[in-house]
Amino acid sequence: MEKRLISLEIFLVEQVKGMLDKIQQNLFDVAKQKRDACIEVVKTWDEFIKALGQKKLILAPWCDEEEVEKDVKARTRGEMGAAKSLCTPFEQPELPEGETPFKERSWN
């Protein structure tokens, strides 16, 4: 009888663990879908401002210079607050051939 109880306990533990793994994966997948739906890839200042107005998470080519970040914050400061950089992704959006990075562009 004791062997059966141990076997049943092991079975239940494995079943619960499997269910929790599925729940965790589902929560992750849903959160990732929601995040990805809010990302807007932009390459121009006009696209940047439009996406910011829509409260999107903006993915733009980045030069990684502090003075450019300060300029973007200053130029976007308003009722909603200012744009700020969150992180530098491993995969940056590519600019069309012949374009220069944002730091050298006219942000008008």
Side-chain angles (χ1 to χ4, degrees):
M1 183 75 167
E2 190 174 314
K3 267 188 167 182
R4 278 187 169 170
L5 284 176
I6 291 173
S7 294
L8 181 59
E9 286 176 7
I10 291 172
F11 174 76
L12 288 175
V13 167
E14 289 175 3
Q15 290 296 310
V16 170
K17 186 177 177 187
M19 290 168 68
L20 290 174
D21 287 344
K22 286 180 184 177
I23 290 169
Q24 183 177 9
Q25 186 63 51
N26 185 46
L27 289 170
F28 174 81
D29 292 344
V30 169
K32 188 173 184 301
Q33 279 182 326
K34 287 181 180 182
R35 186 218 48 202
D36 290 350
C38 291
I39 294 174
E40 187 78 26
V41 178
V42 303
K43 294 185 175 130
T44 68
W45 181 251
D46 289 338
E47 292 172 345
F48 186 93
I49 294 299
K50 181 180 177 186
L52 185 64
Q54 296 170 345
K55 298 183 179 183
K56 297 280 187 169
L57 185 60
I58 301 169
L59 182 57
W62 185 243
C63 63
D64 204 25
E65 290 189 16
E66 190 176 333
E67 54 189 73
V68 175
E69 181 178 7
K70 287 178 182 177
D71 182 52
V72 170
K73 277 185 183 180
R75 295 184 72 180
T76 58
R77 191 163 286 130
E79 291 179 23
M80 295 185 296
K84 66 177 182 177
S85 60
L86 298 176
C87 60
T88 303
F90 293 117
E91 295 180 26
Q92 291 281 328
E94 290 186 29
L95 288 170
E97 194 172 319
E99 293 286 332
T100 57
F102 271 0
K103 75 173 193 169
E104 297 172 6
R105 288 177 154 193
S106 168
W107 286 85
N108 298 320

